[in-house]
Amino acid sequence: SRISSLIRSLASPMALQERIKVVLLACGSFNPITNMHLRMFELARDYLEDTGRYQVVKGIISPVGDAYKKKGLIEALHRVEMARLATETSNWITVDDWESQQAEWVETAKVVRHHHAELFADKNQAEVDTVRFGKRSRLEENDDICQSSSIDPSRTAAPELKLLCGADVLESFSVPHLWKHDDIAEIVGRYGLVCITRSGCDAEKFVYQSDVLHKHRRNIHIVREWVTNEISATHVRRALCRGQSVRYLLPDHVLDYIHHLGLYSDESEKKNANVILAPLQRYTGTAD
């Protein structure tokens, strides 16, 4: 019947060209980047595309700047380079160093805003280029090219930007003075969050217990990792300091880079040991 056909058409997955394009942004220390950091992108893409509503077109890794003042945080230039080495075999995950180059620590909400603005700038430039190409084509080949050079809104619309994180980040929203309430509301309410579950962290419980997260729960995608892998950058650094093997926890090129420069040691782990974390300084007015 006509009603049954309508129901089937509504329930069927959207055609690829009709799906909402999404860019995934991961912010963090990446100290060092691990295979699990990369795995998060793959899990998130599979989950979103399996809904039939989204097409993930890009992933962005944005290492935090040195001014974050986290204990054991090595220089951003090394963390950015390791991230680039880790993603050199990926055809969709990239590394952006804008955040890491800022003189002061940049709140995650501002980083998200920056990349959202970049996406719109790219879209606008694409539209300008398409119009220019269309004009040249009409002059060269007249009416036959006009049709092919017209702007397709589904192709030029800017993708949605969603913050990709682990459940530990979701849990950190409740830590006093670590996040601004307005920033959490903006990230989750305006952009959206894709959260990868982690052993020992109950993501659904965090969402339920937080008023701001519960309010925007429809913008939070919780992705369960059934093949659990608890690689921790902290544990990796500890093993490196002890001279133990971390092969197969990191991409080979990243591990070679670490060994070549001797990046992690007892001395590097003491860096910022007596310094208050940047957000705690900013939101409590506490100096070093």
Side-chain angles (χ1 to χ4, degrees), residues 106-144:
V106 183
E107 292 96 331
T108 301
K110 291 182 179 178
V111 179
V112 176
R113 277 180 230 146
H114 166 79
H115 287 286
H116 188 256
E118 290 285 301
L119 292 178
F120 268 90
D122 291 344
K123 183 207 73 165
N124 291 337
Q125 184 60 50
E127 289 181 349
V128 170
D129 291 344
T130 303
V131 170
R132 287 175 178 171
F133 174 75
K135 288 180 178 178
R136 289 198 302 270
S137 299
R138 285 191 291 271
L139 289 173
E140 294 171 358
E141 301 182 31
N142 297 320
D143 294 338
D144 289 341

Side-chain angles (χ1 to χ4, degrees), residues 16-50:
L16 189 61
Q17 65 270 22
E18 297 174 342
R19 294 189 185 190
I20 301 169
K21 291 180 172 58
V22 172
V23 172
L24 297 170
L25 170 67
C27 300
S29 299
F30 302 102
N31 186 40
I33 191 168
T34 71
N35 288 335
M36 191 58 207
H37 288 129
L38 304 174
R39 181 70 183 143
M40 287 173 58
F41 279 92
E42 298 291 336
L43 290 167
R45 181 172 68 167
D46 281 349
Y47 172 88
L48 291 175
E49 294 193 346
D50 281 350

Side-chain angles (χ1 to χ4, degrees), residues 29 32 44 95 141 159 213 215 229 237 241-242 246 250 257 268:
S29 299
V95 180
E141 301 182 31
L213 295 181
K215 177 181 178 181
N229 191 333
R237 294 197 308 274
C241 290
R242 294 174 179 176
V246 294
L250 315 176
Y257 184 87
S268 69

Side-chain angles (χ1 to χ4, degrees), residues 239-282:
L240 286 167
C241 290
R242 294 174 179 176
Q244 298 172 339
S245 172
V246 294
R247 189 165 294 279
Y248 310 121
L249 300 179
L250 315 176
D252 286 344
H253 290 329
V254 173
L255 185 55
D256 291 342
Y257 184 87
I258 290 172
H259 285 325
H260 179 69
L261 296 178
L263 291 183
Y264 294 103
S265 63
D266 291 337
E267 191 62 31
S268 69
E269 281 298 285
K270 295 175 184 176
K271 188 174 181 180
N272 298 323
N274 298 315
V275 180
I276 298 173
L277 202 65
L280 299 179
Q281 290 185 36
R282 185 170 298 177

